[in-house]
Amino acid sequence: MKILVCLSNVPDTTSKINFTDGDTKFDTNGVQFVINPNDEFGLTRAMWFKEKQGATVHVATVGEASTEPTIRKALAIGADEAIRVNAFPVDGFFVAEQLAEIVKNGEYDLVIAGRESIDYNGGMVPGIMATLLGMNFVNTCISLEIEGNNATATREIDGGKEKIATTLPLVIGGQKGLVAESDLRIPNMRGIMMARQKKLNVVEPTSSKNVTTDVKFEKPAPKGKVTLVDADNIDELINLLHNEAKVI
């Protein structure tokens, strides 16, 4: 089985976010970038298939040279080969189109992507990619088993879970639950050294028209003041909720 894990290079959640050029561009100065958490769950599951079933695991991302430390981390964790599309990820459709081209050229059986990235939270790349490729698709996937050409997946739905039987080739949008958090891997020194010798292919993007443009970014409004009320002063609490907060 040949697996492609799609990676997104995202800011660490502890990073302080700022914008430049009149709030039209994201300021990357001082920002630490990491593998998108939803993608990391997928990468870990792919490594399980590699170790238990002999799968070949490649990783791919759409990004400029600054994303290569993230790709190298995936190689250090155990991926066999990496591909970087040398382009800024303008929007979800552009990213999906570039990744779909990699899948076509690589003849992958299973494509694992995160259900969404934690920066823009678009949640569109896996579905668009599956549509462009004409492959089966399972989103919000929290469990995946492969036996031969058959796949069994469990996904989250409103109010519960759904178990699905399907076949390869398959695209999934994975998330927390695809593997246990305790199973996530930190590269060791041997993995880091071996990653330097693994192939990282840089390819140019296919021609594509950008269908969206960022007009302006805006930070959430700052939190308002907090009024503390003694636990035994119920009358004051009711008064504040009624006259100041106006919620009752």
Side-chain angles (χ1 to χ4, degrees), residues 56-78:
T56 299
V57 178
H58 293 179
V59 295
T61 193
V62 179
E64 297 170 324
S66 58
T67 65
E68 291 195 3
T70 296
I71 306 172
R72 289 291 180 190
K73 179 182 177 181
L75 291 173
I77 287 173

Side-chain angles (χ1 to χ4, degrees), residues 126-141:
I128 295 175
M129 187 167 36
T131 300
L132 293 173
L133 293 165
M135 293 170 64
N136 296 328
F137 175 52
V138 179
N139 202 19
T140 62
C141 187

